[in-house]
Coordinates of all heavy atoms in Angstrom, one line a residue:
E553 N 17.4 18.3 -5.7 CA 17.2 18.4 -4.3 C 17.1 16.8 -3.6 O 17.8 16.6 -2.6 CB 15.9 19.0 -3.9 CG 15.9 20.5 -4.1 CD 16.8 21.1 -3.2 OE1 17.0 20.8 -1.9 OE2 17.6 22.1 -3.6
K554 N 16.7 16.0 -4.3 CA 16.7 14.6 -3.9 C 18.1 14.0 -3.7 O 18.4 13.5 -2.6 CB 15.8 13.8 -4.9 CG 15.7 12.2 -4.5 CD 14.7 11.6 -5.4 CE 14.7 10.1 -5.3 NZ 15.8 9.6 -6.1
K555 N 18.9 14.2 -4.8 CA 20.3 13.9 -4.6 C 21.0 14.6 -3.5 O 21.8 13.9 -2.8 CB 21.0 14.0 -6.0 CG 20.5 13.2 -7.1 CD 21.1 13.5 -8.5 CE 20.5 12.6 -9.5 NZ 21.0 12.9 -10.9
R556 N 20.8 15.8 -3.3 CA 21.4 16.7 -2.3 C 21.1 16.0 -0.8 O 22.0 15.9 -0.1 CB 21.0 18.0 -2.4 CG 21.7 19.1 -1.3 CD 21.2 20.4 -1.4 NE 19.7 20.5 -1.0 CZ 19.4 20.6 0.2 NH1 20.3 20.5 1.2 NH2 18.2 20.7 0.5
L557 N 19.8 15.7 -0.7 CA 19.3 15.2 0.6 C 20.0 13.9 0.9 O 20.3 13.6 2.0 CB 17.7 15.2 0.7 CG 17.2 16.5 0.6 CD1 15.6 16.3 0.7 CD2 17.5 17.3 1.9
E558 N 20.0 13.1 -0.2 CA 20.6 11.8 0.0 C 22.2 11.8 0.5 O 22.6 11.2 1.2 CB 20.5 11.0 -1.2 CG 19.1 10.5 -1.7 CD 18.9 10.2 -3.1 OE1 19.9 10.1 -3.8 OE2 17.7 9.8 -3.5
E559 N 22.9 12.8 -0.3 CA 24.3 12.9 0.0 C 24.5 13.5 1.5 O 25.4 13.2 2.1 CB 24.9 13.9 -1.0 CG 26.3 14.0 -0.9 CD 27.1 12.8 -0.9 OE1 26.7 11.8 -1.7 OE2 28.1 12.6 -0.2
K560 N 23.6 14.5 1.8 CA 23.6 15.0 3.1 C 23.4 14.1 4.2 O 24.1 14.0 5.2 CB 22.6 16.1 3.2 CG 22.6 16.9 4.6 CD 21.7 17.9 4.6 CE 21.8 18.8 6.0 NZ 21.0 20.0 6.0
Q561 N 22.5 13.1 4.0 CA 22.2 12.2 5.0 C 23.3 11.0 5.0 O 23.7 10.6 6.1 CB 20.9 11.3 4.6 CG 20.6 10.2 5.6 CD 19.1 9.6 5.3 OE1 18.4 9.5 6.2 NE2 18.9 9.3 4.0
R562 N 23.9 10.7 3.9 CA 25.2 9.8 3.7 C 26.3 10.5 4.6 O 27.0 9.7 5.3 CB 25.4 9.6 2.3 CG 26.4 8.5 2.1 CD 26.6 8.2 0.6 NE 25.3 7.8 0.0 CZ 24.8 8.6 -0.9 NH1 25.1 9.7 -1.3 NH2 23.6 8.2 -1.5
T563 N 26.6 11.7 4.4 CA 27.7 12.4 5.0 C 27.4 12.5 6.6 O 28.4 12.2 7.2 CB 27.7 13.9 4.5 OG1 28.0 13.8 3.1 CG2 29.0 14.5 5.2
A564 N 26.2 12.7 7.1 CA 25.9 12.8 8.4 C 26.2 11.3 9.1 O 26.7 11.4 10.2 CB 24.5 13.2 8.6
R565 N 25.8 10.3 8.4 CA 26.0 9.1 8.9 C 27.5 8.7 9.0 O 28.0 8.2 10.1 CB 25.3 7.9 8.0 CG 25.4 6.6 8.6 CD 24.8 5.6 7.6 NE 24.9 4.3 8.2 CZ 24.6 3.1 7.5 NH1 24.2 3.2 6.2 NH2 24.7 2.0 8.1
K566 N 28.2 9.2 8.0 CA 29.7 8.9 8.1 C 30.3 9.6 9.3 O 31.2 9.0 10.0 CB 30.4 9.3 6.8 CG 30.1 8.2 5.6 CD 30.7 8.7 4.3 CE 30.3 7.9 3.2 NZ 30.9 8.4 1.9
N567 N 29.9 10.9 9.4 CA 30.5 11.7 10.6 C 30.1 11.0 11.8 O 30.9 11.1 12.8 CB 29.9 13.2 10.5 CG 30.5 13.9 9.3 OD1 31.5 13.6 8.7 ND2 29.8 14.8 8.9
R568 N 28.9 10.5 12.0 CA 28.6 9.9 13.3 C 29.3 8.6 13.6 O 29.7 8.3 14.7 CB 27.0 9.5 13.2 CG 26.1 10.7 13.5 CD 24.7 10.2 13.9 NE 24.2 9.3 12.9 CZ 23.4 9.7 11.8 NH1 23.2 10.9 11.6 NH2 23.0 8.8 11.0
S569 N 29.7 7.8 12.5 CA 30.4 6.6 12.6 C 31.9 7.0 13.1 O 32.5 6.1 13.7 CB 30.5 5.8 11.3 OG 31.1 6.6 10.3
K570 N 32.3 8.2 12.7 CA 33.8 8.5 13.2 C 33.9 9.1 14.5 O 34.9 9.1 15.1 CB 34.2 9.6 12.1 CG 34.4 9.2 10.7 CD 35.0 10.4 9.9 CE 35.1 9.8 8.4 NZ 35.4 11.0 7.5
S571 N 32.7 9.4 15.1 CA 32.7 10.0 16.5 C 32.0 9.0 17.3 O 31.5 7.9 16.9 CB 32.1 11.3 16.5 OG 30.7 11.1 16.2
T572 N 31.9 9.2 18.6 CA 31.0 8.4 19.6 C 29.6 8.9 19.6 O 28.8 8.3 20.3 CB 31.7 8.6 21.0 OG1 31.5 10.0 21.3 CG2 33.2 8.1 21.0
E573 N 29.2 9.8 18.8 CA 27.8 10.3 18.8 C 26.8 9.3 18.1 O 27.3 8.6 17.2 CB 27.7 11.6 17.9 CG 26.3 12.1 17.8 CD 26.2 13.3 16.9 OE1 27.3 13.6 16.2 OE2 25.1 13.9 16.7
E574 N 25.7 9.0 18.7 CA 24.7 8.1 18.2 C 23.5 8.8 17.9 O 23.1 9.8 18.4 CB 24.4 7.0 19.4 CG 25.4 6.1 19.7 CD 25.2 5.0 20.5 OE1 23.9 4.9 21.0 OE2 26.0 4.1 20.9
W575 N 22.8 8.2 17.0 CA 21.5 8.9 16.4 C 20.5 8.8 17.6 O 20.3 7.7 18.2 CB 21.0 8.3 15.2 CG 19.7 8.9 14.8 CD1 18.4 8.4 15.1 CD2 19.5 10.1 14.1 NE1 17.6 9.3 14.6 CE2 18.1 10.3 14.0 CE3 20.3 11.1 13.7 CZ2 17.6 11.4 13.3 CZ3 20.0 12.1 13.0 CH2 18.5 12.5 12.7
K576 N 19.8 9.8 17.9 CA 18.7 9.9 18.9 C 17.4 9.9 18.2 O 17.1 10.8 17.5 CB 19.0 11.2 19.8 CG 17.9 11.2 20.9 CD 18.2 12.5 21.8 CE 17.1 12.6 22.8 NZ 17.3 13.9 23.6
I577 N 16.6 8.9 18.6 CA 15.2 9.0 18.1 C 14.4 9.7 19.0 O 14.5 9.6 20.3 CB 14.6 7.5 18.1 CG1 15.5 6.6 17.2 CG2 13.1 7.4 17.7 CD1 15.2 5.1 17.4
R578 N 13.6 10.8 18.6 CA 13.0 11.7 19.3 C 11.7 11.3 19.9 O 11.4 11.5 21.1 CB 12.7 13.0 18.4 CG 13.9 14.0 18.5 CD 15.2 13.5 17.9 NE 16.3 14.5 18.1 CZ 17.4 14.3 17.6 NH1 17.8 13.1 16.9 NH2 18.5 15.2 17.7
W579 N 10.8 10.8 19.2 CA 9.4 10.7 19.6 C 8.9 9.4 19.7 O 7.6 9.0 20.2 CB 8.5 11.4 18.6 CG 9.0 12.7 18.2 CD1 9.4 13.3 17.0 CD2 9.2 13.9 19.1 NE1 9.7 14.5 17.0 CE2 9.7 15.0 18.4 CE3 9.0 14.1 20.5 CZ2 10.0 16.2 18.9 CZ3 9.3 15.3 21.0 CH2 9.8 16.4 20.2
F580 N 9.7 8.2 19.6 CA 9.3 6.9 19.7 C 10.4 6.2 20.4 O 11.6 6.6 20.5 CB 9.1 6.1 18.4 CG 7.8 6.7 17.7 CD1 7.7 8.0 16.9 CD2 6.5 6.0 17.9 CE1 6.7 8.4 16.3 CE2 5.3 6.6 17.2 CZ 5.4 7.7 16.4
Q581 N 10.0 5.0 21.1 CA 11.0 4.2 21.6 C 10.7 2.7 21.4 O 9.5 2.3 21.2 CB 11.2 4.3 23.1 CG 9.9 4.0 24.0 CD 10.0 4.4 25.5 OE1 11.0 4.9 25.8 NE2 9.1 3.9 26.2
Q582 N 11.7 1.9 21.1 CA 11.5 0.5 20.8 C 11.1 -0.3 22.1 O 11.5 0.0 23.1 CB 12.8 -0.1 20.4 CG 12.5 -1.5 19.6 CD 13.8 -1.8 18.7 OE1 14.9 -1.3 18.9 NE2 13.6 -2.7 17.8
G583 N 10.0 -1.1 21.9 CA 9.7 -2.0 23.1 C 8.7 -3.1 22.5 O 8.5 -3.2 21.3
S584 N 8.1 -3.8 23.4 CA 7.2 -4.9 23.0 C 5.7 -4.4 23.0 O 5.3 -3.6 23.9 CB 7.3 -6.1 23.9 OG 6.9 -5.8 25.2
N585 N 5.0 -4.8 22.0 CA 3.6 -4.4 22.0 C 2.8 -5.0 23.2 O 3.0 -6.2 23.5 CB 2.9 -5.0 20.7 CG 1.5 -4.6 20.5 OD1 0.5 -5.0 21.2 ND2 1.3 -3.8 19.4
P586 N 2.1 -4.2 23.9 CA 1.5 -4.6 25.1 C 0.5 -5.7 25.1 O 0.1 -6.4 26.0 CB 0.9 -3.3 25.9 CG 0.7 -2.5 24.6 CD 1.8 -2.7 23.7

Side-chain angles (χ1 to χ4, degrees):
E553 285 295 320
K554 179 168 168 282
K555 292 176 182 177
R556 181 185 66 81
L557 292 176
E558 291 162 2
E559 184 58 35
K560 182 173 183 176
Q561 184 172 226
R562 192 176 299 116
T563 301
R565 185 184 181 190
K566 289 179 180 178
N567 292 339
R568 285 196 303 273
S569 65
K570 294 177 182 178
S571 65
T572 58
E573 180 186 2
E574 292 185 1
W575 178 260
K576 181 182 178 182
I577 300 169
R578 267 66 183 181
W579 312 116
F580 291 82
Q581 64 181 10
Q582 198 167 15
S584 60
N585 187 291

